[in-house]
Amino acid sequence: MRTPQPARRRHFLTLALISSAALLMTSCGAGSDDDSAGGGAGTVAKGVRIPTTDVVSGIRKDPAAAGLLPTGVTRLTIAYSVGDTPPGTSHLADGKTLAGQDVDFADAVAKVLGIRLDKQEASFEAILPALGSGKYDIGAGNFGVTEARRRTIDFVTYINDGQGFAARKDSELQKITELKQLCGLNIATGAGTTFEATLEQNEHVCADAGEKAYKVQTYGESGALWSSLQQGRSDVVMSTINGLRYSVARQPGLKFLNEFHRLDVGFAFKKGTKLAPAFQAAVNKLIADGTYRKILDKWGTTGSAIKQSQISPPELKD
């Protein structure tokens, strides 16, 4: 990373003084601070406001979808990856209540199926392995459908998101279309994510081009990730397209570079689950009756809409 000139140092110090609330934002969405659906807004830790309009409680059980559940299933355990990164799963001001796009979709599906969800929290990288052991029935955390994951995990898709980049506004980067453009830079990303895997699998591109390798810096917490960018310890953030758009819209001095690779995103289950057909039917019911659109409108993620849910589709290719 190049040593900043004095003017840039002042810029970094200014960014570092941005309220700690802004540092908490990373994932999913591009709406306003207030609920675009017309409701109030709750406050997450350190003053970050998120929409709290109820778009779920009026949903009724659909007998056709519920009939696809395995016999006797009335309650399931779902694990959320919580980063306090609206519109991804976050805590409200009480520090306990979970809110976010994934939460709304899971709650809506549960209403359609007439089941209860026991909500638990886990780190992003811990959820998928725990599905196979039976610790959790469902995982929700903006899990992208990849060929590597499909070998051990079943998915039921509900949005389309993917990979993208962001940088400080003073960066010379304008649009990243190939990873070779990152050579010599420090890249901040989430631990255990498809972003980390993509960067590690392609680190040879710099050596192939005769250039200095990029350095991957992983973080388990979004505040630290954004702080690394704002304070100049990293040059670029690689994360979800929706999350980057949401965060850049709320943090001064940053810019969204571009979409790099789209992925279907879904609820995650252990391989061979009997739950997938029911969850797929429930998502498609929400799409058909308009509830699906209300959830996307609430979180400002209408660009991630899908036409119908699929069970473990092939990874999208550019």
Side-chain angles (χ1 to χ4, degrees):
M1 184 180 71
R2 298 182 182 89
T3 301
Q5 298 302 313
R8 293 187 67 195
R9 290 182 186 275
R10 289 194 295 272
H11 181 62
F12 294 152
L13 289 173
T14 299
L15 288 172
L17 294 174
I18 295 173
S19 70
S20 58
L23 296 179
L24 290 170
M25 300 179 131
T26 307
S27 286
C28 293
S32 63
D33 283 355
D34 293 326
D35 187 350
S36 59
T43 303
V44 207
K46 300 185 180 180
V48 178
R49 293 174 64 80
I50 65 172
T52 56
T53 291
D54 179 8
V55 291
V56 173
S57 63
I59 299 171
R60 298 192 177 191
K61 179 177 177 179
D62 180 71
L68 297 174
L69 284 169
T71 302
V73 172
T74 60
R75 195 172 193 137
L76 296 170
T77 300
I78 184 169
Y80 291 99
S81 171
V82 182
D84 283 329
T85 55
T89 303
S90 308
H91 290 106
L92 292 182
D94 61 9
K96 299 178 182 179
T97 304
L98 297 180
Q101 179 174 250
D102 293 332
V103 176
D104 278 349
F105 273 118
D107 286 347
V109 165
K111 286 278 189 179
V112 172
L113 298 178
I115 61 174
R116 295 191 63 180
L117 295 177
D118 293 327
K119 300 175 182 179
Q120 298 193 24
E121 302 175 26
S123 64
F124 182 90
E125 61 270 28
I127 293 176
L128 297 186
L131 294 173
S133 70
K135 183 176 183 179
Y136 311 122
D137 299 304
I138 314 159
N142 210 72
F143 289 111
V145 181
T146 67
E147 293 305 320
R149 286 175 175 168
R150 289 205 314 151
R151 289 196 286 268
T152 57
I153 298 294
D154 280 341
F155 293 92
V156 173
T157 62
Y158 57 93
I159 60 169
N160 174 276
D161 195 352
Q163 304 175 338
F165 296 96
R168 297 181 299 273
K169 281 189 176 178
D170 64 353
S171 172
E172 296 178 359
L173 292 168
Q174 299 300 320
K175 184 176 182 180
I176 296 175
T177 57
E178 56 181 345
L179 296 181
K180 188 170 65 174
Q181 293 171 259
L182 302 176
C183 295
L185 301 179
N186 294 326
I187 316 303
T189 195
T193 61
T194 60
F195 319 116
E196 180 185 9
T198 295
L199 291 168
E200 290 181 346
Q201 291 165 6
N202 291 279
E203 58 187 358
H204 62 86
V205 299
C206 296
D208 294 347
E211 298 187 34
K212 183 180 178 180
Y214 53 70
K215 182 179 179 182
V216 181
Q217 301 170 327
T218 59
Y219 297 88
E221 189 271 321
S222 63
L225 183 149
W226 284 109
S227 180
S228 75
L229 179 67
Q230 292 170 318
Q231 296 179 12
R233 296 191 302 275
S234 59
D235 303 292
V236 176
V237 164
M238 186 179 187
S239 189
T240 66
I241 294 167
N242 286 337
L244 292 172
R245 290 187 186 278
Y246 190 95
S247 297
V248 166
R250 288 158 176 77
Q251 297 189 58
L254 302 179
K255 62 183 178 182
F256 179 72
L257 296 179
N258 74 304
E259 297 183 6
F260 183 69
H261 177 46
R262 279 271 174 180
L263 287 172
D264 288 315
V265 171
F267 297 112
F269 305 86
K270 68 179 180 180
K271 195 70 178 175
T273 181
K274 304 292 186 182
L275 298 170
F279 273 69
Q280 180 191 31
V283 173
N284 285 332
K285 172 66 175 177
L286 296 171
I287 293 173
D289 69 16
T291 304
Y292 180 82
R293 181 68 185 214
K294 290 179 181 178
I295 295 173
L296 294 182
D297 283 343
K298 173 180 176 178
W299 295 104
T301 54
T302 54
S304 284
I306 59 174
K307 293 183 178 179
Q308 63 178 8
S309 177
Q310 299 181 76
I311 298 175
S312 298
E315 180 179 348
L316 294 176
K317 301 298 182 182
D318 295 326

